[in-house]
Amino acid sequence: MSSIDLSGTFTLGDRTVKRLGYGAMQLAGPGVFGPPKNHGAALAVLREAVALGVNHIDTSDFYGPHVTNLLIREALAPYSDDLTIVTKIGARRGADGSWLPAFSPEALTEAVHENLRNLGLDVLDVVNLRIMFDAHGPAEGSIEAPFTVLAELQRQGLVRHIGLSNVTSAQIEEVRRIARIVCVQNQYNLAHRGDDALIGKLARDGIAYVPFFPLGGFNPLQSSTLSGVAQRLGATPMQVALAWLVGRAPNILLIPGTSSVAHLRENLAAAELELPEDAARELDGVAMAV
């Protein structure tokens, strides 16, 4: 299968990535906990993503835990020079699969070393600090202390670039005095539009915005408008939702996840889908109707 033009590129620090990447979270077991149902199928998805031109993979050592990083290493190491692997720290998994904050200097340092070890790397391309003040979304509060720990790990040469995840505008401004950030990863999609203003501000500053749950996450996007536009364009609703995000702002990088090669190909094909202006306007109204 020939590679796909993945809708242009964007710069993450000194790394240039295609705007449509791949999120590895769904390769772990149910609830992002434990091993995949089909180990070989998980490896096949990663290899197919790279074969189709993806050069930005999002992961974390707390997916599984350790599962997705070990799969990435098995499937793709030794890594090609243009592959950028973005990981995140700031959480850990309980024995019952729960998601727990892990903000102490010791926990953050250990997390960076675990990501390095399990990915088989000497330095991590990008590390996002995931803020866990509230399980349901960003919540205000100082993040200076954990961010300073990550900035020190960067100075030690273990991390090339730093990003943030699940954060507010105030938290972004707080830490930009300490070190440069290259990306922000928050929940955002056709129906969940709370970061509209933030996206524009980050674009002006050359900072990438990486929406997690671009297709709705564990509850896929449902909209009669979305379905109607998809039917008119001969595409799937999920392809239309991704195409809308690609057109939303030039600094948006997408990391839709899947454990299926067929769904992977379907997601990547969204890069070739052009939304007419009237369709884009229709979709802009979805959030108001939710």
Side-chain angles (χ1 to χ4, degrees), residues 156-190:
Q156 292 174 19
L158 300 176
V159 175
R160 280 199 183 91
H161 304 293
I162 298 174
L164 297 169
S165 178
N166 203 41
V167 289
T168 67
S169 295
Q171 288 163 340
I172 294 168
E173 291 309 310
E174 176 187 33
V175 300
R176 288 181 70 186
R177 299 179 289 102
I178 299 167
R180 179 190 179 199
I181 63 168
V182 300
C183 56
V184 170
Q185 190 178 96
N186 278 1
Q187 183 178 1
Y188 184 85
N189 54 49
L190 192 60

Side-chain angles (χ1 to χ4, degrees), residues 201-239:
K201 184 178 189 315
L202 294 175
R204 290 189 291 274
D205 291 341
I207 298 170
Y209 184 91
V210 187
F212 64 76
F213 295 159
L215 299 175
F218 299 110
N219 299 297
L221 293 171
Q222 301 290 328
S223 161
S224 57
T225 301
L226 178 60
S227 299
V229 170
Q231 190 170 20
R232 292 205 309 271
L233 297 179
T236 70
M238 296 302 97
Q239 286 175 325

